[in-house]
Amino acid sequence: MNKRRKIIYGGVSVMLSASILTAGCSTRPTDKSDQIGITQPVETAQISQNSVAKSLESQAKQLKSLDPKQPLNDLKPLKDMIGNANFVGLGEATHGSSEIFMMKHRLVKYLVTELGFTNFGIEEDWGNGLKLNEYIQTGKGDPREFLKLLYPTDEIVAMVEWMREYNSDPVNKKKIQFIGLDLKMLDQSVFDKVINYVKEHHPDLLPEVEQSYKELSSVAGNLQEYMKLTTEVKEKHMTNAQKIVKLLEDKTKSISEIDSHELVWVKGTTKVIENFTKMVIPADYPSMVKLHDQYLAEHAVWAQEKLGGKTMVWGHNIHIAKGVITEKMYPKVAGEFLKERVGNQYVAIGSTTTEGKFTAFSEDKIAADTIQKNVSSSNHMFGQVHYDQFLLDLRKLNGDAQQWVKEKQPFLDGIAVIIPNEPQYYDVSLQEQFDIIFHIQKTSPSHIK
């Protein structure tokens, strides 16, 4: 087992909970067979960069502003691009680019106010999602405290505060629901969500629920420690978690044909707890991260099925993509699971940038990494377009651009851990991975306290 893989499995710092499971937060395996320079030269190599750039520019939709407070008229092309899709993936090239976060805020506002999207799922743990959902419904708490790793930025906090403002307006009858899709850890509040409901509505079940969750809740808050448990203990926790899912389902199915809003969230939480215990059963890394992304997708589908409305899925490009960008680290991703589950009801919007810096971890401290220059990359090609930022529907291109997006090009994957001299690019067919791209020429580090 190589040194990096030992780090992944050994896990002694909070940063490595991201390294194991968060898009772009993974340390790389030493085998770089899916990185740049491995694939055969593409057919479009003979097409001049100039002709491809002109073809792209003629079909790109210019975006006039990055500021979420500005009018959203420049985003109107999204209405036809997204069509009747019920799920939209919102990707980010890095977990720490200010301008990308700002543009994604604009996209969220447009999806909510113009296209009727009301479920917001994000690559954040379920427990933090519960707290953030309570905040945007009631104003209780500080959203910055509920965002973890590289997400407690000024840019994302501003978006959450806008959600709170939107929900507090009585004109908006259908409220935004905030869902933490991720499973890096389960804090005590997750278990309390179930226990407190049972205590109030079904006190006869309370002893069994508390006993089933007692040991599990004491270890689920630290993924690295949980992974050290024996298979026998892990399976016991999984059995207990499954028991509570069935117990609550059996108890409530005869009460009403339609669950209350509160009960929907409680049942969802019992299933998330079960999914966490199942995710960490495998001893091998590929199986575990495959389950991780499967559950990201399942939680997004749960939101649409149980809460109604349309669902946004916010995460790293590598997770929301329709296929695999790096098989060594993510053999199957959430976007691929969603595409299999809902077909054309899922539209993946990726993001790209050409130059700048982005926020990342360096030895457990916040730092800034520099985007490496790669003149063969799709990022560099987009840099030849004479717009500061633009949208591009990859499914409807013509001319040289149509062939170019089909072929594999080096593509920026900004990870959340600074590793000196580590390549930042993977060979990717943009059209295979994304339906739509938004590009921002120059980006800077997100503002994180």
Side-chain angles (χ1 to χ4, degrees), residues 27 42 47 102-103 115-116 155 197 223 242 280 345-346 362 374 383:
T27 53
V42 298
I47 303 175
M102 291 170 66
M103 184 60 75
L115 300 185
E155 296 86 355
Y197 178 87
L223 182 60
Q242 291 172 329
V280 293
Q345 286 297 302
Y346 177 63
S362 177
N374 186 325

Side-chain angles (χ1 to χ4, degrees), residues 118-178:
T118 51
N119 301 323
F120 178 79
I122 186 172
E123 195 184 327
E124 178 63 83
D125 285 322
W126 182 269
N128 294 325
L130 293 175
K131 296 165 191 169
L132 287 158
N133 194 50
E134 183 176 16
Y135 172 79
I136 68 171
Q137 311 304 333
T138 69
K140 179 182 177 181
D142 179 357
R144 195 180 298 270
E145 293 181 1
F146 307 145
L147 292 161
K148 303 302 180 182
L149 297 173
L150 293 176
Y151 275 169
T153 68
D154 292 348
E155 296 86 355
I156 294 181
V157 169
M159 179 185 67
V160 175
E161 290 175 341
W162 173 80
M163 292 178 178
R164 170 60 190 149
E165 293 173 6
Y166 179 90
N167 279 356
S168 65
D169 188 341
V171 172
N172 301 317
K173 302 301 183 183
K174 182 69 173 174
K175 307 304 182 183
I176 301 169
Q177 302 293 320
F178 198 109

Side-chain angles (χ1 to χ4, degrees), residues 389-401:
Q389 54 267 336
F390 59 86
L391 278 173
L392 197 67
D393 190 334
L394 303 178
R395 302 160 297 181
K396 298 181 179 180
L397 295 176
N398 299 307
D400 291 341

Side-chain angles (χ1 to χ4, degrees), residues 207-403:
E208 188 167 5
V209 172
E210 288 184 323
Q211 183 60 35
S212 296
Y213 282 162
K214 183 178 180 180
E215 290 185 27
L216 174 58
S217 63
S218 69
V219 291
N222 187 312
L223 182 60
Q224 289 76 36
E225 292 303 312
Y226 196 97
M227 289 168 64
K228 296 177 183 177
L229 299 176
T230 65
T231 300
E232 181 182 6
V233 171
K234 291 179 185 177
E235 289 178 345
K236 181 186 72 173
H237 290 325
M238 181 181 67
T239 299
N240 285 338
Q242 291 172 329
K243 179 173 61 177
I244 300 307
V245 172
K246 186 176 188 304
L247 188 70
L248 196 58
E249 185 64 41
D250 290 344
K251 185 69 174 181
T252 59
K253 66 182 179 182
S254 61
I255 297 176
S256 172
E257 292 185 1
I258 301 177
D259 291 341
S260 68
H261 185 72
E262 181 185 14
L263 182 55
V264 164
W265 277 99
V266 170
K267 284 185 175 180
T269 300
T270 65
K271 188 63 180 176
V272 165
I273 294 171
E274 178 190 347
N275 288 346
F276 175 85
T277 64
K278 291 163 66 176
M279 180 188 73
V280 293
I281 290 289
D284 63 297
Y285 173 84
S287 296
M288 188 176 72
V289 293
K290 185 177 179 180
L291 282 172
H292 167 261
D293 270 55
Q294 177 183 330
Y295 294 143
L296 287 180
E298 285 188 8
H299 299 160
V301 172
W302 169 87
Q304 194 269 339
E305 290 180 345
K306 300 300 183 180
L307 303 178
K310 303 177 182 180
T311 301
M312 299 164 276
V313 180
W314 173 303
H316 197 280
N317 280 340
I318 211 167
H319 282 308
I320 67 93
K322 297 183 294 181
V324 175
I325 290 177
T326 161
E327 187 173 0
K328 289 292 184 289
M329 291 307 304
Y330 295 97
K332 192 167 184 177
V333 296
E336 188 175 0
F337 281 109
L338 277 172
K339 196 70 177 178
E340 289 177 355
R341 182 80 176 264
V342 303
N344 291 333
Q345 286 297 302
Y346 177 63
V347 172
I349 303 179
S351 66
T352 65
T353 184
T354 299
E355 61 178 312
K357 295 185 176 183
F358 59 94
T359 304
F361 286 112
S362 177
E363 298 180 352
D364 294 343
K365 296 180 181 179
I366 295 295
D369 203 359
T370 301
I371 295 173
Q372 298 166 2
K373 185 176 182 180
N374 186 325
V375 297
S376 299
S377 69
S378 54
N379 303 77
H380 180 80
M381 180 64 78
F382 287 141
Q384 310 310 303
V385 174
H386 296 100
Y387 298 142
D388 289 338
Q389 54 267 336
F390 59 86
L391 278 173
L392 197 67
D393 190 334
L394 303 178
R395 302 160 297 181
K396 298 181 179 180
L397 295 176
N398 299 307
D400 291 341
Q402 181 184 45
Q403 179 62 30

Side-chain angles (χ1 to χ4, degrees), residues 2 4-5 27-39 325-329 372 419-427:
N2 63 58
R4 287 177 183 168
R5 187 60 58 87
T27 53
R28 311 289 199 201
T30 53
D31 185 343
K32 297 183 175 65
S33 61
D34 54 352
Q35 291 185 351
I36 59 171
I38 302 301
T39 58
I325 290 177
T326 161
E327 187 173 0
K328 289 292 184 289
M329 291 307 304
Q372 298 166 2
I419 306 174
N421 304 315
E422 184 75 8
Q424 295 175 341
Y425 293 82
Y426 283 95
D427 282 325

